[in-house]
Amino acid sequence: MLKQTSDPRSRVGITAVGSALPDAVLTSQSLLHEAARGLGRTLPPTLLAQATGIITRRVAADDEHASTFAVRAARRALAAASLDPHDIDLLLFASASRDMVEPATAHIVQAELGSNAHALDVTNACNSFINGIDLARVMIQAGRARRALVVTGETPSRAVRRAPADLAAFRDGFAGYTFGDAGAAVVLEAVERGGILDVDTETRSEHWDVGGIPGGGSRHPRGDNHTYFRGDGHELRGVFEKTGTSVVERTLHRNGLDWSCFAKVLVHQVTVPYLERFTELTGVPAEKLVITVPELGNIASASIGVQLEKAYEELLPGDRVLFVGLGGGISIMTMIWEKS
């Protein structure tokens, strides 16, 4: 029997979803060729595809920004729900990317949509979108909002070192070559049945410096060298393997569930080898996954939102979905959602 963690009189569910992708496609072979040209040396043309399983990714055009994809996804979600932007009274931009340090990108999204909701940013690396959904849920339950729009727009391709100065820089930024751009959005409101049934988190902040983009804050406010992603992909994977699987097991055990209880399992996707390892360690049946990483790459916090839209129309009322979020910092998050 599934444990209902919130008052059933104030259940909150996802009632619409949307996503958005850039038109431009960049292959791993082309990206590796750019890096090799910057290095002034030859690299095996299949190195990136073989190491990551990523064949292509979508990348933003020069005149497209994080807010661009958030707005496009938001419009799709609102249309799916037959809602006007003024029907929303809480707007959360929940993303690892942003248009600028200040003001909050939520205000740029809101200005484009024409809404007048309470607007703010939520940021926690690749877990930002799930954190935003959880925050919106709690605010609706607290009576602070009636209907929320949670959006993300990710442009991590802007932080990829396409012309590394040397092999050390290439290795340091290699994890960034997995990135692609995308946006996602969900509408949340009170529901009579189902909805978000369980949330669990685990944070291991002692690993905060394993990877990230150091520029733009008070530590490194300026300097192009700090605007690129750097990190140890192997160390990140090791932490996720040790901690992430235990959170998943804890969530299933606490609620008395097994994999047969879920129609889909949506997990943040970094590379194909990591997704295969996640499947091996947790035992989740591969057919319950919605695989996007070979064609879209690591789209940061938009990953689960894009997967959700792909699966949404196939889901029936009563179907349960497990979200598994993995974010730098490091944080792990699970969420059980039942379609109303």
Side-chain angles (χ1 to χ4, degrees):
M1 185 70 177
L2 183 69
K3 178 184 177 183
Q4 175 68 42
T5 58
S6 60
D7 187 335
R9 294 171 298 176
S10 59
R11 293 181 179 179
V12 175
I14 296 168
T15 56
V17 59
S19 66
L21 298 171
D23 291 330
V25 177
L26 178 64
T27 67
S28 289
Q29 187 171 352
S30 295
L31 182 57
L32 195 66
H33 180 70
E34 285 187 50
R37 190 168 61 237
L39 289 169
R41 61 186 299 163
T42 301
L43 294 172
T46 60
L47 171 65
L48 186 53
Q50 286 182 335
T52 67
I54 297 168
I55 308 302
T56 60
R57 76 274 293 132
R58 301 292 186 93
V59 293
D62 290 343
D63 61 348
E64 293 177 324
H65 315 290
S67 63
T68 305
F69 304 112
V71 169
R72 291 176 187 170
R75 286 177 174 152
R76 285 178 62 90
L78 290 171
S82 299
L83 294 174
D84 182 89
H86 291 288
D87 294 324
I88 300 296
D89 54 6
L90 174 64
L91 190 156
L92 301 181
F93 177 81
S95 178
S97 303
R98 64 197 71 178
D99 281 20
M100 57 190 69
V101 173
E102 187 183 3
T105 304
H107 298 295
I108 301 173
V109 173
Q110 176 146 280
E112 288 291 320
L113 290 176
S115 167
N116 57 3
H118 179 47
L120 66 148
D121 283 3
V122 178
T123 182
N124 187 24
C126 295
N127 267 337
S128 299
F129 191 57
I130 307 182
N131 280 130
I133 292 172
D134 189 33
L135 177 59
R137 173 186 70 94
V138 172
M139 291 186 73
I140 292 171
Q141 288 176 329
R144 294 290 306 280
R146 185 173 60 89
R147 185 179 288 122
L149 178 65
V150 181
V151 302
T152 180
E154 292 287 11
T155 54
S157 71
R158 297 269 168 84
V160 176
R161 200 183 280 274
R162 293 203 185 185
D166 50 39
L167 280 175
F170 175 70
R171 285 191 290 266
D172 192 43
F174 189 81
Y177 293 102
T178 65
F179 289 145
D181 302 334
V186 291
V187 174
L188 287 99
E189 54 194 320
V191 293
E192 292 185 359
R193 62 182 63 85
I196 296 170
L197 303 176
D198 185 84
V199 178
D200 200 355
T201 62
E202 179 112 0
T203 302
R204 297 295 180 92
S205 297
E206 64 270 24
H207 302 289
W208 73 267
D209 61 347
V210 172
I213 303 170
S218 62
R219 288 175 181 254
H220 304 287
R222 298 169 191 83
D224 288 346
N225 188 51
H226 298 298
T227 63
Y228 297 107
F229 183 89
R230 54 150 298 277
D232 187 329
H234 292 293
E235 186 173 350
L236 282 169
R237 175 172 166 170
V239 176
F240 287 147
E241 285 186 2
K242 291 178 182 178
T243 307
T245 53
S246 65
V247 178
V248 171
E249 291 168 1
R250 187 169 72 208
T251 298
L252 297 179
H253 178 75
R254 181 176 62 252
N255 290 286
L257 300 176
D258 58 34
W259 294 121
S260 67
C261 300
F262 297 99
K264 293 293 179 183
V265 177
L266 310 182
V267 59
H268 174 59
Q269 296 177 26
V270 180
T271 66
V272 170
Y274 180 76
L275 189 59
E276 291 172 344
R277 181 63 172 159
F278 173 84
T279 302
E280 177 187 345
L281 290 173
T282 61
V284 58
E287 64 270 17
K288 293 188 181 290
L289 301 174
V290 179
I291 300 175
T292 59
V293 69
E295 61 176 344
L296 299 181
N298 177 358
I299 48 177
S301 74
S303 177
I304 286 176
V306 169
Q307 293 173 55
L308 180 60
E309 191 187 37
K310 284 181 175 289
Y312 194 81
E313 293 304 320
E314 300 175 13
L315 298 172
L316 301 174
D319 279 350
R320 294 176 188 142
V321 178
L322 177 65
F323 301 167
V324 182
L326 311 169
I330 285 173
S331 67
I332 295 92
M333 192 166 186
T334 59
M335 179 178 287
I336 298 174
W337 167 67
E338 181 180 306
K339 191 172 186 181
S340 303

